[in-house]
Structures are given as C-alpha cells and as structure tokens.
Amino acid sequence: LGGSAPFWPRQNSNHPMDQRKHLSFWGVEAAEGGCCSPALSGEVASWKQAFTMYTCAAAPAVEKYSVSFTNQHPNDAPSAENECTNANHNLVVSDDPREFCAQRCDADATCEAFWVYTTGRCCLKASWSADQGFTTDLQAGWFLALPAKAPTCSKIADVSSTSLANKAFWESKCSEIPSSATMIRVDMGTVTDY
C-alpha cells in the first residue's frame, strides 16, 4: 500500500534532494512496519521502518500564502515561468482573484509569490526581495508569498517496526478518517510524504 513507481522520487526534478527509490510504502500483507527509507538520502531501503500516518485536509489554495503587501509590489520580483495572465480580468472566471491566482501559482513549479490586481489580473513571481524598494503606482491589489501553510492533519496510526500494517489493519482505521480529509501524510524517520 502506498509507495510509488521505482525511482520516481530520485528522478523528480522538482525535488533534487530526494534520492529514494520509492515514496514510503505504508503496508503489505507479509512484512512488518513500512518501507523503504527513513531519509531522503535513500541509503536505507528495507521494510521494518516505523512510521506515523495522518489524515489531512488541504486548505483552499490562497490560505497557503500570506499577504505580504497591499497596493505595493517589490521592485525585485522576477516572473515565474507562467508570468502574467488576464484570464480572470474583470473577475470573469472567479470572483475571488486571490484564490484564482493562488491556484495558478500552485500549478507552476517555479512560482513562489504573486501579484494580483483587484480586477483579476494575475502575475506569478519566481522569487522576491524587498531590498530594492517598492512600486506603489499600481492599481489596487495584493502581493502574496509563501511560505506555505501546512495542511491541518490528525494522527490516525503509529506503526512500529514490528507491526503488521496489512489490508485488515487499515480497514479497521477507515472509520476514523474524517470526511474532510483530502490526503494522507506519512512520516518515516526524517521523511514526510503526502
């Protein structure tokens, strides 16, 4: 149960520090604990790894970002890969321009922040710094930036290295999963997988 295709973490260019062969496996019929590596280095690759599983509810995309500035934009804010769009100009797609832009930023691996006008125009930013001052002669809007707010999670199970976390074990846990859960989190050693 769980896991990934072989070498998916190691070959994922979005996470170059992850050298594991697999994402964490959290159960199988015939082995104890989880598998495979408790560190991103991927050095240990075996079953019998202790782990903790959580159910998590993702916040709306915009809640991951904090409003850094209102009606001003850092001068040092290079564009992300997907740059600016007028797709939501005059709020034709979404009446919440910040949520619309946050979803676009989430979909662009190079996006760390965004400037969004109250009219809906959205400009994705790869990075930013306040060191070079601000532009203030803009239409009204917001500059929002990461760090990301972690999803709200609740522990569902602590699995020791000698526990059998098979299908029957997880079926007994299903009734504990809240209907608001949108993902699981597995903490194994120093690794966290969603």
Side-chain angles (χ1 to χ4, degrees), residues 46-61:
S46 64
W47 286 93
K48 294 192 174 253
Q49 303 295 323
F51 67 93
T52 302
M53 181 180 281
Y54 301 82
T55 61
C56 305

Side-chain angles (χ1 to χ4, degrees), residues 65 80 105 111-115 123-128 143-146:
Y65 301 85
C105 192
C111 184
E112 294 291 323
F114 57 89
W115 169 256
C123 295
L124 305 184
K125 304 298 177 180
S127 63
W128 70 277
F143 189 85
L144 290 90
L146 294 172

Side-chain angles (χ1 to χ4, degrees), residues 151-173:
T152 303
C153 299
S154 301
K155 187 187 297 186
I156 190 168
D158 278 315
V159 177
S160 73
S161 62
T162 58
S163 297
L164 186 60
N166 58 15
K167 184 178 175 183
F169 173 82
W170 291 113
E171 284 176 347
S172 72
K173 297 290 185 183

Side-chain angles (χ1 to χ4, degrees), residues 17 29 34 37 42 51 55 59-60 63-64 77 79 81 88 91 109 128-129 133 148-149 154 157 169 172 186 192:
M17 300 300 292
E29 289 302 314
S37 182
F51 67 93
T55 61
E63 289 186 18
K64 292 187 231 174
S79 293
E81 186 175 305
N88 192 36
L91 311 180
W128 70 277
S129 170
K149 179 181 175 183
S154 301
F169 173 82
S172 72
V186 177
T192 296

Side-chain angles (χ1 to χ4, degrees), residues 12-31:
N12 185 335
S13 61
N14 290 329
H15 303 283
M17 300 300 292
D18 194 342
Q19 294 300 302
R20 295 174 296 159
K21 182 176 179 181
H22 297 279
L23 294 178
S24 299
F25 286 94
W26 36 273
V28 69
E29 289 302 314

Side-chain angles (χ1 to χ4, degrees), residues 47-157:
W47 286 93
K48 294 192 174 253
Q49 303 295 323
F51 67 93
T52 302
M53 181 180 281
Y54 301 82
T55 61
C56 305
V62 74
E63 289 186 18
K64 292 187 231 174
Y65 301 85
S66 59
V67 176
S68 298
F69 310 103
T70 301
N71 299 333
Q72 59 180 351
H73 180 296
N75 289 327
D76 182 9
S79 293
E81 186 175 305
N82 289 320
E83 300 183 353
C84 296
T85 181
N86 285 318
N88 192 36
H89 185 67
N90 293 328
L91 311 180
V92 296
V93 177
S94 170
D95 61 357
D96 185 347
R98 290 181 291 188
E99 176 67 16
F100 174 83
C101 204
Q103 289 178 11
R104 283 186 42 83
C105 192
D106 281 356
D108 182 333
T110 67
C111 184
E112 294 291 323
F114 57 89
W115 169 256
V116 59
Y117 295 90
T118 57
T119 59
R121 179 172 168 81
C122 172
C123 295
L124 305 184
K125 304 298 177 180
S127 63
W128 70 277
S129 170
D131 294 346
Q132 295 181 20
F134 296 88
T135 299
T136 57
D137 59 344
L138 301 164
Q139 293 178 358
W142 307 272
F143 189 85
L144 290 90
L146 294 172
K149 179 181 175 183
T152 303
C153 299
S154 301
K155 187 187 297 186
I156 190 168

